[in-house]
Amino acid sequence: MFLYNHFTVNEKGHLCMDGVDTVDVARQFGTPLYVMSRSYIENTINEYHRIMHENFGDNYTIAYASKALSAKFIYDIMKDLDVCCDVVSGGEIYTALKGGMAANKLHFHGGNKTKREIEYALGVGIGSFVVDNYQEIAIINNAAHNLNIKAKVILRVKPGVDAHTHEFIQTGKEDTKFGFGIKDGKAFEAIDEILRCNNLDFIGIHCHIGSQLLESKPFAMAGEIMADFMAVIREKYGITLPELIMGGGFGVKYTYNDAPESKADMIKVMADAIKASCEKNSFPVPKVTIEPGRSVVAPGGITLYEVGTVKELENIRNYVSVDGGMTDNPRYALYDARYECVIADRAGEKRDYLATIAGKCCESGDLVTKDIYIQKPMAEDILAVFTTGAYNFSMASNYNKTPRPPLVLIENGNPVLKVRGETYEDLIRLEL
Ligand code: LLP
């Protein structure tokens, strides 16, 4: 009936998530409201464990990509699921540690890590750095030297795979600000540099070919290129690297028309390509890490809004305004993103009203999604937007001095407040 089967309709006709009435949750905590399912997140991580184990035995790691949703509660969940985390800023490291993650289970990404962030990361005992530019190689080495330690580094390379996704979220092609090229020889120069550094321990290579990928083929291409490159590194430097990180990017269903290949299929073709390359090159299969973000949290989250004004522009469009918008979900404004929605109060009824969901900012691009069918809305109805668990909370802003919404986690059949909503006082707390 809905995109995912943790959504059902109860006897009142209300939308339920993990059996909990979302209209009740909206009334209890107010709107707008992010609601997440703990069991969806746990089940998805466990599914990744099963799939990775089937393909790689025990020689694998799952690293949740924090940028999809970084908050203490998520690390608290992750720490019990035998996963590591990818972090991309000092702020994510801080939050992960406060959430109970062990520092040595974090690997630190970023195209322009500051000296301060690098020193902070080393100081807390970060697991490893994914190195993305020449400058940071020197900075990490110096900082590690000052602490008299060796920092583990993984080199981010560009496999040059074009993974057909929205242009703004492609990161694995040659024309990208991320990583060192294989084809142009930059990756070798970076390796030369790393090997000259006494306080760096070169342990592996990394790629991330894009986000919201719906097909398995690019994963196979990238798997082969990366594993072949490990054999080339062995040939050129005599080093057998033990680790290969293949990034995230496993796509999810945002609309009824989206048809991503299954996680199992995507990972299997990637694993087969890696293993085939290793066999061809007589290279031991490295420890393979994946970094899923969106697929772990997006379907496990919804946003609940209250419907306000409805503007029916004859022969043009029906604008249904809600009490949030681009401040809690900037993805339509940034990427033209699409979502499915329902009126949570009448979720079992037919969706036959064509609506464009508008936010409340003074900005015409402030839409949540465009031209979707929902039940005929009435003022004060609760509108539920599906698949908002990733890159919504983490990308929210205070534009128009809008307080960011609270976040509630459904666990053991109960809604539990994990992040309180901002107050007006919060909005000026940093102002002197
Ligand atoms: N690893 C690396 C190095 C990444 O850059 C990313 C995402 C991931 C893993 C996780 O990818 P995922 O499994 O979530 O697709 N704000 C955009 C998405 C940006 C993704 C950036 N990198 C959006 O809202 O669609």
Side-chain angles (χ1 to χ4, degrees):
M1 183 174 193
F2 299 109
L3 285 171
Y4 297 95
N5 56 18
H6 49 293
F7 298 105
T8 49
V9 177
N10 66 10
E11 65 294 343
K12 293 184 194 155
H14 293 180
L15 177 73
C16 295
M17 183 171 177
D18 291 344
V20 175
D21 187 319
T22 60
V23 177
D24 288 350
V25 175
R27 298 293 173 221
Q28 184 183 347
F29 295 93
T31 55
L33 180 69
Y34 298 115
V35 188
M36 302 287 303
S37 157
R38 182 177 187 126
S39 63
Y40 185 87
I41 296 168
E42 288 175 342
N43 292 344
T44 306
I45 291 288
N46 288 330
E47 186 187 356
Y48 275 123
H49 271 305
R50 270 196 308 278
I51 298 169
M52 289 298 280
H53 191 264
E54 266 164 36
N55 286 284
F56 296 107
D58 290 334
N59 203 21
Y60 76 89
T61 310
I62 296 164
Y64 164 67
S66 299
K67 60 181 85 64
L69 195 172
S70 176
K72 285 193 302 179
F73 83 90
I74 206 97
Y75 300 105
D76 181 52
I77 296 176
M78 294 301 160
K79 78 177 190 324
D80 295 331
L81 293 174
D82 194 21
V83 291
C84 299
C85 288
D86 131 8
V87 287
V88 292
S89 66
E92 282 190 356
I93 296 172
Y94 179 82
T95 311
L97 297 179
K98 289 284 179 188
M101 277 298 294
N104 65 3
K105 290 196 149 192
L106 305 177
H107 63 263
F108 189 9
H109 269 291
N112 188 26
K113 304 173 189 78
T114 64
K115 187 161 176 264
R116 191 166 157 231
E117 285 177 316
I118 288 170
E119 286 169 353
Y120 171 56
L122 278 175
V124 299
I126 197 100
S128 60
F129 291 87
V130 179
V131 166
D132 198 70
N133 60 70
Y134 299 112
Q135 287 83 342
E136 72 172 303
I137 295 174
I139 299 173
I140 299 168
N141 187 52
N142 280 341
H145 175 80
N146 292 341
L147 292 169
N148 202 18
I149 54 175
K150 268 199 159 197
K152 290 195 173 106
V153 295
I154 295 163
L155 187 73
R156 178 156 184 176
V157 302
K158 298 190 242 194
V161 175
D162 179 350
H164 301 294
T165 176
H166 193 291
E167 199 188 348
F168 292 161
I169 47 182
Q170 270 176 354
T171 45
K173 290 195 306 177
E174 290 293 334
D175 180 9
T176 159
K177 67 175 181 174
F178 296 109
F180 295 95
I182 297 179
K183 286 193 195 131
D184 60 10
K186 297 285 184 213
F188 293 119
E189 288 172 26
I191 295 172
D192 292 340
E193 193 60 39
I194 292 170
L195 296 178
R196 271 197 290 272
C197 292
N198 290 331
N199 291 79
L200 300 185
D201 185 8
F202 182 32
I203 60 164
I205 56 173
H206 171 284
C207 73
H208 170 74
I209 54 172
S211 201
Q212 183 56 7
L213 305 186
L214 303 173
E215 290 173 328
S216 56
K217 193 155 178 251
F219 287 106
M221 291 160 65
E224 183 182 357
I225 293 167
M226 295 296 283
D228 280 354
F229 189 54
M230 294 182 94
V232 172
I233 293 172
R234 181 182 60 183
E235 210 172 287
K236 194 164 155 59
Y237 299 95
I239 302 169
T240 306
L241 291 173
E243 294 208 26
L244 171 59
I245 308 187
M246 289 299 300
F250 309 101
V252 302
K253 251 170 123 53
Y254 280 103
T255 72
Y256 292 101
N257 294 328
D258 293 335
E261 282 185 46
S262 70
K263 299 178 188 70
D265 287 350
M266 296 206 209
I267 291 171
K268 180 162 192 324
V269 297
M270 178 178 88
D272 287 349
I274 293 169
K275 287 188 274 188
S277 158
C278 289
E279 190 166 350
K280 175 181 76 187
N281 298 311
S282 306
F283 193 92
V285 178
K287 176 161 118 181
V288 174
T289 297
I290 51 166
E291 295 170 325
R294 184 190 316 269
S295 52
V296 177
V297 285
I302 56 173
T303 309
L304 300 175
Y305 300 103
E306 189 177 277
V307 173
T309 59
V310 176
K311 233 179 226 176
E312 300 185 339
L313 306 183
E314 226 173 293
N315 298 326
I316 304 179
R317 212 178 292 289
N318 299 326
Y319 284 101
V320 177
S321 292
V322 293
D323 54 355
M326 66 187 291
T327 48
D328 57 80
N329 180 359
R331 297 192 67 260
Y332 177 86
L334 285 170
Y335 318 117
D336 199 18
R338 300 298 151 131
Y339 290 94
E340 299 288 349
C341 311
V342 292
I343 297 293
D345 310 68
R346 293 183 297 287
E349 291 179 14
K350 200 164 182 307
R351 278 167 272 183
D352 52 7
Y353 183 90
L354 189 59
T356 286
I357 312 300
K360 66 194 289 298
C361 282
C362 296
E363 176 111 12
S364 25
D366 177 17
L367 303 180
V368 173
T369 194
K370 215 173 174 178
D371 297 337
I372 48 132
Y373 281 100
I374 58 172
Q375 293 79 5
K376 189 166 171 51
M378 292 187 290
E380 297 186 18
D381 276 342
I382 299 299
L383 180 93
V385 181
F386 293 104
T387 330
T388 59
Y391 304 113
N392 274 228
F393 175 85
S394 60
M395 292 174 79
S397 78
N398 290 128
Y399 184 44
N400 283 190
K401 279 286 194 220
T402 308
R404 281 171 298 185
L407 185 150
V408 160
L409 182 69
I410 309 279
E411 44 186 4
N412 306 319
N414 293 309
V416 180
L417 187 66
K418 290 292 173 182
V419 183
R420 72 166 172 80
E422 283 174 328
T423 60
Y424 290 150
E425 188 52 36
D426 289 326
L427 293 177
I428 55 163
R429 73 189 183 281
L430 304 175
E431 297 179 26
L432 306 173

